Amino acid sequence: MVNRLAQSQSLYLRKHSENPIDWWPWCDEALETARSQNKPIFLSIGYSSCHWCTVMEGEAFSDIAIAEYMNSHFIAIKVDREERPDIDSIYMQTLQMMTGQGGWPLNVFLTPDDKVTFYGGTYFPVEPRYGRPGFLEVLQAIRRFYDTEKGKLESFKSEILGNLQQSAMLSPGTAELSREVFQKGLGSNTAIIASSNRAPSFPMMPYAELALRGIRFNFDESEHDARQACTQRGLDLALGGIYDHVAGGFHRYTVDDTWTVPHFEKMLYDNGQIVEYLANLWSAGIQEPAFETAIAGTVEWLKREMTATTGYFYAAQDADSFNNSQEVEPEEGVFYVWTYSELEQLLTAEELAEVEQQFTVSRAGNFEGKNVLQRRHSDKLSETVETALAKLFAVRYGGNPDTVKTFPPARNNQEAKNDSWPGRIPAVTDTKMIVAWNSLMISGLARAAQVFGNLEYLELAVKAADFILDNQWIDGRFHRLNYDGETAVMAQSEDYALFVKALLDLHQGSLSLVTGSDKWLQKAVEVQTEFDEFLWSVELGGYYNTASDNSGDLLVRERSYTDNATPAANGIAIASLVRLALLDQNLEFLDRAEQGLQAFSGIIQDAPQACPSLISALDWYQHSTLIRTTPELIPGLISQYYPTAVFLIEADLPEGVVGLVCECLTCKEPAKSREQLLAEIQKSQTRV
């Protein structure tokens, strides 16, 4: 018998539809039922490709005794964090207040009258293990506390709510956001990227992006070499087991500090950011062959497995998959790893010997007796190794890379087990379209197109952007999700911010490869106007996570400024406001950027390590550069690394002039040679 989640559009929620727990989706009816029955709310938040979410679904949430107690004493609500990041953000923050840490699955208990957290955790096992109590024991203790300790409950609730409201207000700083503040922020975030001896190892792309900006300065105070740190992060990504060397695409993170064994899910948001970062490394002159290989391989994976026929990109692929159709539960990583005996059978002696030279392959393996491929060197791969990788690809996909250009997604476990696959059973793909994540991929493709002069990359990005423009507005309002043609959920700040950035990146990418770039600038202005109308905080400055008419079910209206696996909306939005001011010649955008920076100036000054995207926005504000030049010079300039520059084609330059460099409200002397233009751009980018 299925529960209420069976009809959900969310793959994550549908995965719980056969649980004996009487799950509700987040809705007014569920919240009112909790109030009327005076039952505490058990709120469980996760996402479809989350490994430990899958484990808990198969264990605690499938246990009859736990379900009977839960159904009698709680109202259980399931939320897909990819649908409602605003809900996830609030309750993750409450868990971190209580325990000092967080993660998914996020499981918190709320009072029914006001939805305030009074207990929480992440993974709960059925029986006590891993130093954690059994889940039924937890449920009984929490219900006992709720019924008998009303005084303590109210005191605890009051403290949590007060801290949450204070955090949401975020008093602005008073000091000027000076060059010294920027330098401090740059140094502290570069130090984070340079400290690579930690496990697990995450890409942390907002931090890497900011650190890369530092290579153009000669700041003496930092003990870390920004160029070296950024190069190493690129090598860790492109050579490590976090990258799928057989078929392309990056996994979410590695469990070790050597970048060897990944958590095997592949998230679109990571891949978009990493493609952009590796392209920027290349444009900055750090041209390791492995970077270009990883970008090309990721685009092939994107085209083959992650692109809908209508042009948008799917959200994610699971870490777990089935060895065979008789298995009850999938296993982590089985689609991606190799036993040594398999390699001996599939490869010639020469191929295996060279693979062992180039990759960390051994009889013992590096993951539960099997091998995750990790490269030892960044040189271009030999033909022998390429042939060997193509053979491994064929085992997975049932054909070689030249013939398997598209590979249909397994949309759920039943499809994965029951469909006839020509190779291994693939991991489940979450095929929903998320605007924010598509935008990150559009930006990555647009930048790679500029750097490598690759029109195909740009065309992929254009198709995805056109899908969003054509399908994600209902009654004049922007929406976040699309499920096989059905638009859903009002857009949040990250959707607006990242899509505006993507449109501006397409505008810049189109200058050197195709015509029609004005369309993208016009659309960016239109989306920004709607963003300003519904999410800008007039009183505090900065952008709320949710629209003014779509936040009534939330404890507080947050303004996201902390970077995590994805960049914070306000940092991206403020940087785009500066770009819009330059490109659209509208100083109202610049005024708003200044107000936004001031709103978050306190956190920028006091905790820059929490907000690298805001430091990047400050970089844009302090070093913004507009370059007007000829169509002939654009390709050679735009492919270089000028992180706070935007370009416009100028058809009416005076005779003998090749370009004009402007710094916000001031333009420099017209450049009469390419050398002079380059010198002026470089000087403007540093403002020493």
Side-chain angles (χ1 to χ4, degrees), residues 296-317:
T298 298
V299 174
E300 288 302 313
W301 163 76
L302 187 73
K303 292 190 299 179
R304 184 179 59 247
E305 302 176 50
M306 295 292 286
T307 303
T309 56
T310 47
Y312 67 82
F313 307 124
Y314 300 145
Q317 292 177 322

Side-chain angles (χ1 to χ4, degrees), residues 568-598:
N570 273 288
I572 296 297
I574 293 168
S576 291
L577 286 170
V578 177
R579 296 172 76 186
L580 283 166
L582 294 170
L583 293 167
D584 195 49
Q585 302 293 290
N586 185 340
L587 292 181
E588 290 183 8
F589 290 129
L590 191 63
D591 291 340
R592 184 150 289 184
E594 185 175 5
Q595 293 170 38
L597 286 170
Q598 194 57 50

Side-chain angles (χ1 to χ4, degrees), residues 537-556:
S537 173
V538 176
E539 300 84 3
L540 301 172
Y543 294 93
Y544 288 116
N545 289 0
T546 51
S548 54
D549 56 354
N550 190 44
S551 52
D553 58 348
L554 301 177
L555 274 178
V556 294

Side-chain angles (χ1 to χ4, degrees), residues 329-453:
E329 295 292 337
E331 287 184 45
E332 186 182 4
V334 297
F335 189 66
Y336 299 103
V337 297
W338 310 90
T339 64
Y340 193 83
S341 61
E342 282 180 305
L343 297 176
E344 286 182 310
Q345 293 169 10
L346 294 168
L347 307 180
T348 67
E350 179 189 2
E351 289 166 351
L352 180 56
E354 196 154 340
V355 165
E356 287 183 285
Q357 285 184 341
Q358 293 295 318
F359 293 89
T360 55
V361 169
S362 67
R363 287 192 179 277
N366 52 26
F367 172 66
E368 299 178 356
K370 299 178 181 179
N371 288 282
V372 174
L373 298 186
Q374 179 178 20
R375 289 181 62 179
R376 300 180 190 273
H377 310 289
S378 64
D379 298 337
K380 187 175 177 61
L381 293 172
S382 69
E383 288 187 17
T384 301
V385 170
E386 293 281 15
T387 300
L389 293 177
K391 289 182 178 180
L392 301 184
F393 180 99
V395 171
R396 277 210 217 151
Y397 295 96
N400 64 53
D402 293 329
T403 59
V404 183
K405 292 298 185 182
T406 58
F407 192 78
R411 295 172 181 265
N412 52 55
N413 282 344
Q414 288 69 37
E415 281 190 13
K417 289 206 297 184
N418 298 330
D419 285 9
S420 179
W421 302 99
R424 291 178 172 178
I425 298 174
V428 169
T429 298
D430 187 345
T431 59
K432 69 174 175 286
M433 193 287 299
I434 304 176
V435 167
W437 298 10
N438 269 249
S439 299
L440 287 166
M441 195 74 242
I442 291 167
S443 289
L445 289 167
R447 184 57 184 154
Q450 295 171 38
V451 172
F452 296 101

Side-chain angles (χ1 to χ4, degrees), residues 425-678:
I425 298 174
V428 169
T429 298
D430 187 345
T431 59
K432 69 174 175 286
M433 193 287 299
I434 304 176
V435 167
W437 298 10
N438 269 249
S439 299
L440 287 166
M441 195 74 242
I442 291 167
S443 289
L445 289 167
R447 184 57 184 154
Q450 295 171 38
V451 172
F452 296 101
N454 191 314
L455 182 58
E456 183 187 29
Y457 293 175
L458 188 66
E459 290 172 340
L460 279 170
V462 165
K463 288 178 182 177
D466 278 338
F467 178 89
I468 294 171
L469 290 170
D470 293 341
N471 293 277
Q472 292 308 114
W473 269 263
I474 297 177
D475 297 328
R477 293 296 295 279
F478 195 21
H479 283 65
R480 172 177 175 81
L481 302 176
N482 195 289
Y483 289 100
D484 295 324
E486 188 172 343
T487 304
V489 182
M490 205 81 83
Q492 304 203 355
S493 59
E494 67 172 11
D495 301 299
Y496 281 100
L498 290 167
F499 191 49
V500 170
K501 177 186 183 297
L503 292 169
L504 293 175
D505 291 337
L506 282 176
H507 171 264
Q508 294 290 284
S510 299
L511 291 177
S512 59
L513 293 172
V514 294
T515 58
S517 61
D518 288 348
K519 164 189 172 179
W520 305 116
L521 178 57
Q522 175 192 339
K523 292 299 182 182
V525 172
E526 291 175 6
V527 177
Q528 184 67 46
T529 300
E530 183 179 327
F531 191 14
D532 291 340
E533 179 180 356
F534 291 103
L535 285 91
W536 177 256
S537 173
V538 176
E539 300 84 3
L540 301 172
Y543 294 93
Y544 288 116
N545 289 0
T546 51
S548 54
D549 56 354
N550 190 44
S551 52
D553 58 348
L554 301 177
L555 274 178
V556 294
R557 282 184 82 193
E558 291 186 304
R559 292 169 296 152
S560 172
Y561 61 85
T562 302
D563 294 272
N564 293 294
T566 56
N570 273 288
I572 296 297
I574 293 168
S576 291
L577 286 170
V578 177
R579 296 172 76 186
L580 283 166
L582 294 170
L583 293 167
D584 195 49
Q585 302 293 290
N586 185 340
L587 292 181
E588 290 183 8
F589 290 129
L590 191 63
D591 291 340
R592 184 150 289 184
E594 185 175 5
Q595 293 170 38
L597 286 170
Q598 194 57 50
F600 298 105
S601 59
I603 198 73
I604 291 172
Q605 294 171 68
D606 299 336
Q609 69 279 5
C611 58
S613 290
L614 280 170
I615 309 297
S616 293
L618 181 59
D619 188 16
W620 269 103
Y621 184 76
Q622 293 181 345
H623 304 103
S624 59
T625 305
L626 171 64
I627 302 157
R628 297 178 178 273
T629 190
T630 65
E632 295 76 21
L633 288 182
I634 284 282
L637 293 173
I638 209 165
S639 62
Q640 301 303 304
Y641 187 61
Y642 300 124
T644 59
V646 292
F647 293 82
L648 284 176
I649 292 175
E650 184 60 71
D652 298 322
L653 289 170
E655 185 176 353
V657 172
V658 300
L660 190 63
V661 174
C662 300
E663 298 175 353
C664 192
L665 305 178
T666 304
C667 290
K668 302 300 182 183
E669 179 182 353
K672 296 184 178 180
S673 68
R674 187 175 185 275
E675 292 70 27
Q676 182 185 357
L677 182 60
L678 289 171

